[in-house]
Structure formats: structure tokens, C-alpha cells
């Protein structure tokens, strides 16, 4: 039975959904790579909110999704960009998310790392920015989670040059009780972060980042790199001090970066592993056996979906992530905090459905098809 999907040119096309999901092997710990999935939040669809209101979160569904990721051996990167930090989820909501998710992680034995930023302020002086970071670092550490020092919009606006980054990050790293993950999010994910590390020249910015790490190697677990530039990531990871990991955040080139080369490899902290969780874990378990070709055979076909979800404007990839979670049955609605479900077009969502279904990502393909049909009906697409 076919379903008619809309195309960008205004026409419709016939698509025949698959009838069986992908068959995966048994779950278990991942051993050769440290792998985090940045996880989305599930909105409360019954809350009477506006896009400017504080986020109304369905906590039961949100935590259930994290248990789903942990059950496949993945770590959860909490309260990150994928959770709509600064795009619907404010600091008060993020702090509650961190506390609840960290408690759930401890209860089930899941690995968790949480974002530390400055989004309780929109702008400020360098001392104010440092205080904002300190407040969030305290919340994460009190929750018993690893800290991810997120790139800060306020710092990008206030810093006068590399010295300000060296000073502020040095202060925070000296304070941190355990090694943290640093975070370099490129302007394609957030235009307000252009020129991070004190320069729009990425070579100069890289040198500043490496200076930060070199000054405190014992306090840096790793660096998450989200620049969508595989060559630059490889060059950076080859220069990291011994024991400091490179976590790829490159949603375009992740298979080759995780597989690595004769000089090393990247670990992973990826938003695309939210919808790809079980399949990504399956691929890494194959890599754990030393089967690089098998790993690539499993993961390479997912890149077309990832490139589609993360197409410009890249920051709206969260809409596709939540859409696929709804189709997969991880939540009962397609609503997002801040009303962000409207950020992608119907043809974009239809293509996401087609690509995800082709990969066998939906545990119940018939349910996914039914939900896709319901959305098409709302938009008036004839079947």
C-alpha cells in the first residue's frame, strides 16, 4: 500500500513504506568508543503556552526516552543544543531537566553528561558571564553528572580576544571537581557563536582552544567539535594531549571520524544519535570487534538522513529529530517547546520520514505510516 508524499516543487509522489523494522542484535556496553547521544525534550502538548513562555515539559516521556538510549548502551548528553537550549528551553527548565535526568541515570546505571552554559543571562560583563557559568557548573556537579562547558553566546559577544577565553576557561577548569568536556559549536548551529575562541579565523581559534587544553590537561576529558569540517577535526584531534578525547559533533561525517585512521579516532557526542540510537549502538558494537568495514556498512547509509535533518538553517534540525521520535512511538504527539514543530516544511518532514523508514528505524512501521498519514491529512495532502 503506497502513501503519497509532497515534494518541494508542489507535486506529490508515491512511496511504499517498508513493513518490517530493522533487526538488531542484543544490547550491551560499548567498549571501543565513548558515545553520547544528545537527547531532545518532549513537550507537554496540553499546556497553554506561547513561544515566549517557559517550556512546559512532559517529564515522564522525556525521561522514558533517556532510558531508551541508556538501554542500548549509549550515554546521554543532557540539556544540550538538541534539548533546545536557547531555542525554547530556558535555564530554569534546563536545570530541572539536569536534576531529573541525573537522578534517573543514577537509578538505572546510565552515563550522563550535562551542558553548562550562561543562558540565564542574555548579555553581560566577563565577571557576570563567569558567575553564570559557575552557577550552572554547581548545579551539574551537585546532580552528580559530568559537566560539558558549552559555548556561550554572551561570551562570544563580550570577549575582546583570545586572552578573555584563556582567562575565563582557565578559571572554570580550576574550579571543576572532575574533568569536563569542552564544546565548540560552529555558527552553522548558532550564528551568535561566530568568532568563538576569540577569532573568526578557525586556525587562530584552534590555537586558542589548544592553549586552554594544554594549560589544564588533567581537567579536560575531551573536546566536542561541531564544525561540520572533517579535515579540521582530524587535524585537531591529532594535536590533543595524551588522554584528552576528541568527541565528534559532526553530523555530516561521523562514520569516517568515529572509524578513525592509523593515527587515531573520534569518540561521539551527536544529535543525530537521538533518532539513530539503536542503529548507532549496533554499529559501534561491530566496531568493538575490530570490524571497521561492518561498522561503515551499518552507519554509512544513515548519513543521507542526517544531512537532510541538518541542512541549513542547521539549528532547526531539532524539528526533524522530534518528528522522528513521534513517528517511532517515543512520544504521542508532534509538539515542541517554543512551537518549533513549525520550523521545517511539510516536504522536508516527508523526506525525513521516507529516509528513516528506508533505514528501518521505526520499531512499528505501520504506526509510523499511520502517523505520517495523519499529518498529511491535516495539511490537506490527498491520498
Amino acid at each position: 500500500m503506497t502513501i503519497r508524499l509532497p515534494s518541494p516543487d508542489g507535486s506529490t509522489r508515491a512511496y511504499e513504506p517498508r513493513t518490517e523494522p530493522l533487526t538488531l542484535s542484543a544490547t550491551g556496553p560499548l567498549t571501543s568508543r565513548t558515545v553520547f547521544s544528545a537527547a531532545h525534550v518532549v513537550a507537554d502538548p496540553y499546556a497553554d503556552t506561547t513561544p515566549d513562555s517557559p517550556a512546559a515539559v512532559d517529564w515522564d516521556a522525556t525521561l522514558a526516552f533517556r532510558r531508551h538510549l541508556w538501554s542500548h548502551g549509549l550515554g546521554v548528553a543532557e540539556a544540550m543544543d538538541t534539548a533546545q537550549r536557547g531555542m525554547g528551553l530556558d535555564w530554569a527548565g534546563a536545570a530541572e531537566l539536569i536534576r531529573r535526568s541525573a537522578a534517573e541515570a543514577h537509578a538505572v546505571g546510565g552515563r550522563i553528561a550535562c551542558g553548562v552554559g550562561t543562558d540565564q543571562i542574555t548579555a553581560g560583563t566577563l565577571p557576570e558571564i563567569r558567575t553564570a557559568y559557575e552557577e550552572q557548573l554547581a548545579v551539574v556537579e551537585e546532580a552528580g553528572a559530568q559537566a560539558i562547558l558549552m559555548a556561550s553566546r554572551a561570551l562570544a559577544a563580550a570577549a575582546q580576544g583570545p586572552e578573555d577565553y584563556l582567562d575565563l576557561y582557565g578559571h572554570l577548569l580550576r574550579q571543576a571537581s572532575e574533568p569536563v568536556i569542552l564544546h565548540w559549536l560552529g555558527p552553522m548551529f548558532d550564528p551568535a557563536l561566530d568568532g568563538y575562541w576569540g577569532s573568526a579565523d578557525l586556525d587562530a581559534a584552534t590555537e586558542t582552544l589548544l592553549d586552554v587544553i594544554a594549560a589544564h590537561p588533567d581537567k579536560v576529558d575531551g573536546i566536542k567539535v561541531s564544525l561540520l569540517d572533517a579535515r579540521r577535526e582530524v587535524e585537531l584531534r591529532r594535536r590533543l594531549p595524551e588522554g584528552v578525547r576528541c568527541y565528534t559533533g559532526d553530523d555530516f561525517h561521523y562514520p569516517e571520524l568515529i572509524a578513525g585512521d592509523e593515527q587515531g579516532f573520534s569518540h561521539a557526542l551527536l544529535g543525530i544519535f537521538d533518532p539513530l540510537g539503536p542503529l548507532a549502538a549496533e554499529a559501534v558494537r561491530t566496531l568493538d570487534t575490530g570490524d571497521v568495514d561492518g561498522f561503515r556498512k551499518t552507519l554509512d547509509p544513515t548519513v543521507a538522513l542526517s544531512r537532510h535533518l541538518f541542512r541549513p538553517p542547521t539549528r532547526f534540525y531539532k524539528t526533524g529529530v522530534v518528528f522522528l521520535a513521534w513517528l517511532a512511538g517515543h512520544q504521542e504527539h508532534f509538539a515542541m517547546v517554543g512551537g518549533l514543530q513549525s520550523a521545517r516544511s511539510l516536504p522536508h518532514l516527508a523526506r525525513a520520514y521516507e529516509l528513516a523508514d528506508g533505514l528501518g528505524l521505526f520499531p512499528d512501521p505501520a504506526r509510523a505510516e499511520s502517523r505520517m498519514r495523519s499529518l498529511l491529512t491535516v495539511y490537506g495532502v490527498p491520498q
Side-chain angles (χ1 to χ4, degrees):
M1 188 174 181
T2 61
I3 181 173
R4 297 208 65 83
L5 300 176
S7 299
D9 64 3
S11 64
T12 63
R13 65 188 185 280
Y15 173 71
E16 185 172 345
R18 66 187 295 157
T19 58
E20 298 293 334
L22 188 68
T23 301
L24 300 175
S25 63
T27 61
L30 311 181
T31 58
S32 65
R33 305 290 189 271
T34 301
V35 182
F36 289 98
S37 167
H40 74 280
V41 293
V42 182
D44 178 357
Y46 300 113
D48 186 13
T49 61
T50 70
D52 294 329
S53 302
V57 177
D58 180 337
W59 293 112
D60 289 342
T62 294
L63 295 177
F65 187 76
R66 281 130 184 84
R67 292 193 296 272
H68 155 73
L69 294 172
W70 286 318
S71 74
H72 289 280
L74 301 170
V76 169
E78 188 56 278
M80 300 291 291
D81 185 58
T82 306
Q84 295 181 241
R85 286 291 291 270
M87 290 185 68
L89 187 71
D90 61 12
W91 165 236
E96 182 71 8
L97 179 63
I98 289 165
R99 295 186 182 102
R100 287 177 180 259
S101 292
E104 195 74 14
H106 298 321
V108 304
R111 182 167 187 167
I112 189 167
C114 300
V116 170
T118 63
D119 48 327
Q120 67 271 57
I121 61 174
T122 56
T125 64
L126 291 173
E128 290 169 337
I129 292 166
R130 187 177 76 180
T131 298
Y133 264 127
E134 290 172 339
E135 177 190 348
Q136 296 201 16
L137 179 61
V139 168
V140 170
E141 291 191 336
E142 288 167 6
Q146 184 178 17
I148 303 171
L149 293 185
M150 298 174 68
S152 162
R153 293 174 179 172
L155 179 56
Q160 297 298 304
E163 296 78 12
D164 289 335
Y165 287 88
L166 291 166
D167 180 68
L168 191 146
Y169 274 90
H171 179 87
L172 294 172
L173 290 171
R174 287 189 293 272
Q175 279 195 35
S177 60
E178 300 291 341
V180 309
I181 299 173
L182 301 179
H183 178 243
W184 190 359
L185 195 68
M188 68 289 295
F189 288 94
D190 187 343
L193 298 176
D194 192 27
Y196 211 74
W197 303 112
S199 177
D201 181 321
L202 294 182
D203 291 335
T206 297
E207 296 304 319
T208 301
L209 168 62
L210 289 169
D211 286 346
V212 169
I213 296 171
H216 307 276
D218 58 324
K219 287 296 188 74
V220 180
D221 168 75
I223 168 68
K224 168 184 157 60
V225 186
S226 296
L227 299 177
L228 304 184
D229 184 336
R231 177 194 60 79
R232 185 171 296 278
E233 179 175 321
V234 170
E235 291 174 354
L236 171 60
R237 82 182 181 206
R238 288 175 178 171
R239 297 180 63 192
L240 292 174
E242 184 75 23
V244 176
R245 297 180 175 97
C246 179
Y247 290 94
T248 188
D250 188 329
D251 300 280
F252 285 4
H253 307 100
Y254 52 93
E256 64 194 76
L257 291 165
I258 296 170
D261 55 29
E262 66 282 355
Q263 297 185 51
F265 56 81
S266 296
H267 299 270
L269 198 165
L270 287 160
I272 191 56
F273 280 5
D274 180 303
L276 292 183
L279 186 58
E282 176 92 350
V284 175
R285 286 190 192 90
T286 301
L287 189 59
D288 291 344
T289 70
D291 184 359
V292 176
D293 290 340
F295 166 80
R296 294 295 299 268
K297 183 178 180 180
T298 300
L299 211 56
D300 281 0
T302 69
V303 172
L305 172 62
S306 188
R307 285 178 174 265
H308 178 72
L309 295 182
F310 285 78
R311 65 187 298 181
T314 302
R315 64 188 182 278
F316 294 127
Y317 75 88
K318 298 96 162 170
T319 301
V321 165
V322 174
F323 172 66
L324 294 181
W326 171 55
L327 294 183
H330 295 300
Q331 55 194 78
E332 294 305 313
H333 58 82
F334 178 38
M336 298 177 66
V337 298
L340 209 63
Q341 66 271 13
S342 65
R344 290 295 200 189
S345 69
L346 184 63
H348 179 91
L349 298 176
R351 181 59 177 157
Y353 162 72
E354 186 177 10
L355 290 167
D357 181 70
L359 291 168
L361 293 185
F362 302 130
D364 184 344
R367 175 177 55 196
E369 178 188 348
S370 175
R371 290 184 172 186
M372 187 70 225
R373 287 184 185 276
S374 71
L375 184 69
L376 294 170
T377 297
V378 168
Y379 276 83
V381 179
Q383 294 298 304

